[in-house]
């Protein structure tokens, strides 16, 4: 196939504005000119500037495009001859803008074709007008609103090949501009003619080969559910729903999009009583086709599945290389693609899987396949009722594949998904990032025997938790430890959560989580087992019993106590200080937070304007422990070093920057190992 180089000049700085198009070594020139509405009247905006563009003062062919009152796109094909009444292209477009033609009163943009050397004569543009009209009529993507069929004129045979080449380049430009006026609607026509009908105006498309069986029509993708069985074929600018597909019938739900319902009414003659299509129907997107099939608002990328029997794409693309995910991270797959194998979980999954998700009650494996990702037979997905936050597309996917899911959430067969996120959402039963949830299978090698690394927290006190915990929350009545896991965090067994009555401000989702996990919490608030959460904020809210930012609440474990084995961390007994002018404060980490020591002198008098509201509340709460000159008369326990620094300085401050050792090292440098 010949390589073509297209040049676009965006005169308004955007493709939605005025655009001039050309192709290298092609004498033709194309203009896309929008028509804008002002005060309810259709007028040209800055069209006079085109007077300097001599190509618009030549002969040519133009198309007027718009959307009718019924919501369907339409096109009008016309010609402009400077030697005839109406004038050249520019004059003709001005005249069309001022005319009150009922069928063209709401056209929104024009596309004009001419030549840089003004080569066209009357016979040439008449032939092109007729040819463009014929292509648009056969394509059936736009309603053609010409009152009469344009005359083909009389063009010599030796000039037709050049005009056909001009028309082919015009078709390419229209497609690049997102206006597939000349693209065939029928999949059969697209396959037979390469998206361009017969070369000769007036001739019909060539019929299929007589020896080809009727069932040999190939399809690229499919939707198979208990309510529908549809087959589609991707074409330029959308998808064609093939004849013989069966769509959902009966009363449509209220959630059915207006466009799908309108398309159902318009195509009623193409659907029999059982919902089977009598002919092909074209759509501009996967989602609009899927909504038409199921009669509901659905995601086309999720529902359309690749045809497993479709032939591989033809050259020049080489499909021998692994999918993009394999190229992005070679650790996700082995050195060779292994044959598909069924498994029941555990180590045997490593023989076929490339990625895995392992959480409490979930053990799923998948591998990249051509066109998507395959969740393998034997994977265990989340069973039982899905949470309220579960997206509708995940619920629909679960319903569509209900027959493939056995007891306990075990898959009876492989299931293909279009993306990692769609596969992960199906497995977990919620909205989740696929890149974050799926991990390479190779990382399972270090966790022989079962759950994710460190999924069970060490029993005992805080010192044992350090072996597995990454973050902690330590307050007066809370001592919780968590570890980052696949796509979320695990609050570890042995953590203590708040057990007092939850405040009125506690969100409903936190109250539901507390009720759902009541059997995992003892009378003192200690967790009997590890609990997984989707985010830091949800985990922190569960622990504290209120709405809170996870990034603010969770702190690195190294801040609460020294990790086992020593190192350069701050121990529980290390004393830190803040010395600024009259301020001289001392503090240390303690169980439950940060202890501001008796004898410290903090800022007295009026607090700074930037002082945070919670710091002002703490000042009022501990007013009895601070005298009038800012001297602390008793130890004060604050949530963390940041709150303590704000309390001392009476303004907004960073704890890891404000607190320093007697040697002058900041807490930030200590935690960074500096």
């Amino acid at each position: 196939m010949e390589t073509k180089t297209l040049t676009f000049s965006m005169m308004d700085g955007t493709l939605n504005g005025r655009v001039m198009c050309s192709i290298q070594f092609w004498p033709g020139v194309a203009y896309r000119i929008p028509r804008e509405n002002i005060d309810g009247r259709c007028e040209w905006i800055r069209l006079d500037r085109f007077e300097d563009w001599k190509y618009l003062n030549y002969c040519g062919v133009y198309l007027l495009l718009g959307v009718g009152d019924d919501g369907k796109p339409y096109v009008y094909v016309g010609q402009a001859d400077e030697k005839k009444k109406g004038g050249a292209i520019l004059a003709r477009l001005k005249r069309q803008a001022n005319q009150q033609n009922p069928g063209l009163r709401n056209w929104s943009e024009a596309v004009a074709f001419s030549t840089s050397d003004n080569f066209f004569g009357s016979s040439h543009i008449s032939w092109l007008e007729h040819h463009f009209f014929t292509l648009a009529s056969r394509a059936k993507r736009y309603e053609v609103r010409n009152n009469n069929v344009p005359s083909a004129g009389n063009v010599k045979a030796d000039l037709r090949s050049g005009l056909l080449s001009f028309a082919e380049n015009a078709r390419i430009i229209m497609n690049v501009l997102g206006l597939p006026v000349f693209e065939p609607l029928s999949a059969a026509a697209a396959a037979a003619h390469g998206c361009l009908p017969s070369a000769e105006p007036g001739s019909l498309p060539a019929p299929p080969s007589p020896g080809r069986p009727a069932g040999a029509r190939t399809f690229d993708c499919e939707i198979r559910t208990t309510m529908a069985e549809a087959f589609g074929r991707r074409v330029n600018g959308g998808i064609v729903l093939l004849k013989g597909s069966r769509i959902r019938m009966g009363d449509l739900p209220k959630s059915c999009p207006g466009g799908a319902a309108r398309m159902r009414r318009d195509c009623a003659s193409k659907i029999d009583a059982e919902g089977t299509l009598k002919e092909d129907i074209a759509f501009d997107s996967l989602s609009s086709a899927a909504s038409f099939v199921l009669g509901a608002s659905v995601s086309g990328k999720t529902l359309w599945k690749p045809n497993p029997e479709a032939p591989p794409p033809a050259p020049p693309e080489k499909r021998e290389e692994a999918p993009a995910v394999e190229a992005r991270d070679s650790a996700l797959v082995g050195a060779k693609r292994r044959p598909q194998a069924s498994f029941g979980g555990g180590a045997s999954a490593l023989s076929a899987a490339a990625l895995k998700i392992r959480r409490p009650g979930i053990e799923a494996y998948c591998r990249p396949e051509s066109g998507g990702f395959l969740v393998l037979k034997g994977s265990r997905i989340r069973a039982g009722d899905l949470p309220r936050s579960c997206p509708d597309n995940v619920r629909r996917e679960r319903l569509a594949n209900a027959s493939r899911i056995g007891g306990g959430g075990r898959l009876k067969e492989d299931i293909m998904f279009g993306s990692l996120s769609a596969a992960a959402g199906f497995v977990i039963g919620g909205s989740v990032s696929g890149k974050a949830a799926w991990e390479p299978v190779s990382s399972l090698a270090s966790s022989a025997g079962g759950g994710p690394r460190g999924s069970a927290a060490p029993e005992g006190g805080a010192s044992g938790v350090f072996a597995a915990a990454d973050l902690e929350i330590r307050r007066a009545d809370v001592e919780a430890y968590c570890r980052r896991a696949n796509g979320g965090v695990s609050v570890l067994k042995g953590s203590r959560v708040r057990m007092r009555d939850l405040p009125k401000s506690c969100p409903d989702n936190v109250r539901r989580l507390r009720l759902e996990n009541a059997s995992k919490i003892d009378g003192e608030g200690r967790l009997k087992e590890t609990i997984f959460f989707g985010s830091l904020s949800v985990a922190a809210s569960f622990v504290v019993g209120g709405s809170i930012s996870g990034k603010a609440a969770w702190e690195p474990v190294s801040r609460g106590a020294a990790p086992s084995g020593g190192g350069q961390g701050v121990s529980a007994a290390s004393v830190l200080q803040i010395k600024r002018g009259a301020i001289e404060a001392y503090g240390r980490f303690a169980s439950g937070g940060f202890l501001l020591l008796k004898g410290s002198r903090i800022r007295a008098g009026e607090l700074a304007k930037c002082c945070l509201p919670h710091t002002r509340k703490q000042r009022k709460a501990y007013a009895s422990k601070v005298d009038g000159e800012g001297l602390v008369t008793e130890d004060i326990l604050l949530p963390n070093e940041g709150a303590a620094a704000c309390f001392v300085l009476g303004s907004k401050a960073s704890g890891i920057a404000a607190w320093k050792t007697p040697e002058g090292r900041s807490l930030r440098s200590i935690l960074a190992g500096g």
Side-chain angles (χ1 to χ4, degrees):
M1 182 178 292
E2 180 186 359
T3 302
K4 295 181 182 290
T5 303
L6 278 71
T7 302
F8 292 86
S9 298
M10 296 180 290
M11 287 166 274
D12 295 323
T14 173
L15 275 174
N16 294 326
R18 297 171 299 159
V19 180
M20 176 181 173
C21 316
S22 61
I23 299 178
Q24 190 176 19
F25 308 122
W26 179 55
V29 182
Y31 291 93
R32 178 181 183 178
I33 311 172
R35 180 187 188 183
E36 300 179 7
N37 293 329
I38 298 179
D39 298 331
R41 292 177 299 132
C42 296
E43 297 180 356
W44 285 97
I45 303 300
R46 296 176 295 178
L47 185 59
D48 291 339
R49 295 187 182 182
F50 279 94
E51 297 287 356
D52 296 332
W53 296 83
K54 58 182 180 180
Y55 307 140
L56 281 174
N57 291 316
Y58 294 166
C59 298
V61 182
Y62 65 90
L63 294 86
L64 305 181
L65 301 105
V67 178
D69 296 333
D70 56 357
K72 297 180 180 179
Y74 69 82
V75 63
Y76 172 86
V77 182
Q79 62 166 283
D81 189 347
E82 57 183 339
K83 300 177 183 178
K84 295 182 179 179
K85 183 179 178 180
I89 296 175
L90 180 58
R92 186 62 180 160
L93 292 179
K94 286 182 177 181
R95 184 178 176 184
Q96 287 285 6
N98 295 325
Q99 282 182 344
Q100 299 299 322
N101 187 334
L104 303 176
R105 60 183 177 82
N106 56 352
W107 61 273
S108 57
E109 59 183 335
V111 179
F113 295 94
S114 184
T115 59
S116 59
D117 55 2
N118 199 17
F119 170 78
F120 285 156
S122 299
S123 60
H124 302 142
I125 58 177
S126 295
W127 192 94
L128 284 174
E129 180 189 19
H130 175 85
H131 189 62
F132 285 172
F133 172 87
T134 302
L135 296 184
S137 300
R138 289 177 177 171
K140 297 183 180 180
R141 287 186 176 272
Y142 288 67
E143 178 187 356
V144 182
R145 292 197 174 180
N146 288 61
N147 294 328
N148 302 308
V149 178
S151 172
N154 185 18
V155 177
K156 296 180 180 180
D158 58 339
L159 291 177
R160 289 185 182 180
S161 60
L163 292 175
L164 284 171
S165 176
F166 186 96
E168 169 63 10
N169 287 332
R171 184 189 66 84
I172 293 173
I173 289 177
M174 292 292 288
N175 288 339
V176 174
L177 290 175
L179 303 170
V181 176
F182 304 137
E183 289 298 317
L185 185 152
S186 169
H193 309 291
C195 297
L196 183 66
S198 175
E200 290 294 330
S203 63
L204 296 175
S209 174
R212 185 180 181 187
R217 296 181 64 195
T218 59
F219 60 94
D220 302 323
C221 48
E222 61 182 355
I223 293 178
R224 292 179 183 268
T225 69
T226 56
M227 300 177 291
E229 187 176 18
F231 307 94
R233 188 172 187 276
R234 300 294 298 270
V235 296
N236 290 341
I239 181 174
V240 174
L241 193 60
L242 299 180
K243 175 183 177 181
S245 299
R246 179 172 56 85
I247 67 174
R248 173 184 177 180
M249 296 299 288
D251 295 335
L252 300 180
K254 293 182 179 180
S255 61
C256 181
R262 191 163 50 247
M263 194 71 173
R264 287 268 190 130
R265 292 193 297 269
D266 295 342
C267 298
S269 60
K270 304 177 183 179
I271 308 170
D272 66 14
E274 297 180 355
T276 303
L277 299 190
K278 301 177 183 178
E279 58 183 272
D280 298 344
I281 303 177
F283 298 86
D284 57 2
S285 69
L286 291 174
S287 295
S288 60
S291 299
F292 178 86
V293 170
L294 296 179
S297 179
V298 294
S299 169
K301 292 183 178 179
T302 302
L303 283 179
W304 286 105
K305 300 297 186 295
N307 175 18
E309 300 179 358
E317 290 190 20
K318 295 183 180 180
R319 308 299 290 184
E320 299 175 0
E321 298 179 358
V325 170
E326 297 173 287
R328 175 177 57 85
D329 189 352
S330 58
L332 301 184
V333 294
K336 298 181 179 180
R337 296 287 295 275
R338 301 180 179 88
Q340 179 177 335
S342 300
F343 61 91
S348 61
L350 300 176
S351 63
L355 305 169
K356 53 88 179 177
I357 294 178
R358 300 187 73 178
R359 298 182 180 183
I362 297 174
E363 185 179 4
Y365 301 87
C366 87
R367 67 178 183 187
E369 287 289 331
S370 178
F373 296 87
L374 199 68
V375 178
L376 301 180
K377 174 183 177 182
S379 295
R380 187 171 74 249
I381 66 175
R382 173 172 178 166
D385 295 335
L386 300 179
R388 293 184 180 180
S389 60
C390 181
D392 291 341
N393 64 306
V394 175
R395 297 180 184 275
R396 285 191 291 267
E397 197 70 39
R398 284 288 189 108
L399 288 174
N401 294 282
S403 61
R404 305 179 181 182
I405 305 173
R410 289 282 183 185
L411 298 188
K412 300 178 182 178
E413 56 185 275
D414 300 340
I415 302 179
M416 176 68 78
F417 295 89
S419 67
L420 279 175
S421 296
F426 179 85
V427 168
I428 295 171
S431 179
V432 66
S433 167
K435 292 182 179 180
W438 292 102
E439 290 188 349
V441 165
S442 57
S443 65
L444 286 172
S446 60
S447 57
R453 292 176 297 157
S455 60
E459 298 187 19
S463 60
V465 178
F466 279 117
D470 300 326
L471 305 169
E472 66 176 359
I473 296 178
R474 303 185 72 181
R475 300 187 177 184
D477 56 347
V478 173
E479 185 179 1
Y481 301 88
C482 79
R483 182 181 68 83
R484 296 181 188 273
N486 304 338
V489 292
S490 293
V491 179
L492 302 180
K493 175 182 177 182
S495 298
R496 188 174 75 249
V497 302
R498 174 175 176 171
M499 285 301 293
R500 300 196 307 268
D501 292 337
L502 300 182
K504 293 182 179 180
S505 60
C506 181
D508 292 339
N509 66 314
V510 175
R511 296 181 184 275
R512 285 194 297 269
L513 287 173
R514 284 293 189 104
L515 290 174
E516 292 173 2
N517 295 281
S519 61
K520 303 177 183 179
I521 308 173
D522 64 16
E524 297 179 356
R526 292 279 182 185
L527 298 189
K528 300 177 183 179
E529 57 185 274
T530 298
I531 303 177
F532 179 84
F533 298 92
S535 68
L536 284 173
S537 295
V538 175
S541 300
F542 179 86
V543 169
V544 177
S547 179
I548 191 171
S549 167
K551 293 183 179 180
W554 292 103
E555 296 183 352
V557 167
S558 58
R559 298 188 189 182
S564 58
Q568 299 180 354
V570 180
S571 69
S574 299
V575 176
L576 302 171
Q577 63 184 18
I578 295 177
K579 290 186 177 182
R580 296 185 185 180
I583 298 174
E584 187 175 353
Y586 300 89
R588 63 180 175 84
F589 288 104
S591 177
F594 191 90
L595 197 65
L596 182 61
L597 300 180
K598 176 183 177 181
S600 299
R601 187 176 299 278
I602 67 175
R603 174 174 178 165
E606 186 177 354
L607 302 181
K609 292 183 179 180
C610 63
C611 184
L612 300 174
H614 66 82
T615 301
R616 297 181 185 274
K617 292 180 181 179
Q618 290 169 347
R619 281 288 191 119
K620 291 181 180 179
Y622 295 112
S624 61
K625 299 183 180 182
V626 183
D627 66 13
E629 298 180 355
L631 185 66
V632 178
T633 57
E634 298 180 33
D635 293 347
I636 300 175
L637 182 64
L638 296 163
N640 52 53
E641 77 280 2
C646 294
F647 185 89
V648 168
L649 298 174
S651 64
K652 186 176 180 180
S654 168
I656 59 176
W659 290 103
K660 298 181 180 180
T661 65
E663 294 79 18
R665 295 180 62 201
S666 68
L667 183 58
R668 175 183 283 131
S669 64
I670 295 173
L671 295 175

